[in-house]
Amino acid sequence: MAAGFWHKAIGVLWAALGLIIYPNTLPQSGYGVDGIIASWIVFFLFPGVSLICFGVRKHRRFKWKQKYLDEQEPFLLQFRLEIQKLEHEQELGREERKQAEEAEEAARLGAEKEATLAAMRAETEAAARREATNRITPPPPPPSSTPPPPPLMPKNISCPGCGARKVLQPMQSLECEYCGTVLVYS
């Protein structure tokens, strides 16, 4: 049902109820015709007409709103289509970026693979050359990292007890002639 229908229906029913009930009370009341008409207007006619006017106003507003929405519908539809186009373009842009990133990653992996293969080929070729060279000439002896120590020479040792000096051969130990302290070659 249309907006405001129930307000209008209740307003008409209320005013009609007043017309049906009030004339029956005319002979019984002591207020006279003017008092009964005034009370009928206050209690039945005014509220009934108010409800009818409220229902009519609500129905008009509903019609205006519908008219406004009908006028705005093409614009709203166009707006929704534009939003959908923008979202579609953004999705395409995301897909293009994703494809570009995947292509870049594939190129990087391919370059790393080629570099690894080139390094392995170079290492294999170098090993083959070394093996061929080793077959032709014997390898030179590895250079010693430390030169052999010089031969040990006799040392002049002073006694820690008395200060007397004595010459000792390598790995030799003697007793001091003056104080008896043992002297060790170090």
Side-chain angles (χ1 to χ4, degrees):
M1 296 205 179
F5 171 78
W6 288 109
H7 291 95
K8 291 187 279 186
I10 292 172
V12 169
L13 181 66
W14 191 260
L17 185 65
L19 284 174
I20 293 170
I21 293 174
Y22 251 61
N24 294 333
T25 60
L26 279 176
Q28 299 168 356
S29 68
Y31 297 113
V33 176
D34 293 339
I36 291 175
I37 291 174
S39 63
W40 176 74
I41 289 173
V42 169
F43 291 117
F44 288 99
L45 185 63
F46 180 73
V49 172
S50 296
L51 282 172
I52 291 170
C53 291
F54 184 74
V56 167
R57 196 169 186 195
K58 193 169 185 183
H59 183 69
R60 275 192 203 142
R61 283 189 181 170
F62 177 75
K63 285 175 77 177
W64 288 341
K65 186 176 181 182
Q66 283 299 99
K67 183 179 177 185
Y68 174 77
L69 290 177
D70 290 342
E71 289 174 357
Q72 295 300 316
E73 186 64 29
F75 298 113
L76 293 173
L77 182 62
Q78 183 180 2
F79 181 68
R80 288 184 194 122
L81 288 174
E82 291 296 323
I83 288 175
Q84 287 177 352
K85 285 179 188 177
L86 287 174
E87 288 173 351
H88 180 68
E89 289 174 2
Q90 288 176 347
E91 184 64 30
L92 289 177
R94 279 192 289 264
E95 288 176 6
E96 288 176 3
R97 281 194 302 273
K98 185 178 178 184
Q99 289 174 353
E101 289 172 358
E102 288 174 355
E104 185 178 307
E105 182 68 19
R108 187 183 60 78
L109 290 175
E112 287 179 2
K113 183 178 177 182
E114 288 298 321
T116 305
L117 289 175
M120 290 175 70
R121 280 190 214 112
E123 188 177 321
T124 305
E125 290 173 2
R129 275 191 241 113
R130 278 192 304 259
E131 191 174 315
T133 306
N134 288 343
R135 286 185 198 156
I136 297 172
T137 60
S144 62
S145 60
T146 58
L152 297 175
M153 305 296 286
K155 271 190 188 176
N156 194 1
I157 305 287
S158 36
C159 177
C162 64
R165 300 190 66 58
K166 183 80 174 168
V167 176
L168 294 178
Q169 296 297 322
M171 305 307 217
Q172 181 185 15
S173 59
L174 290 176
E175 196 173 292
C176 178
E177 301 169 354
Y178 303 104
C179 65
T181 304
V182 177
L183 301 174
V184 179
Y185 183 90
S186 56

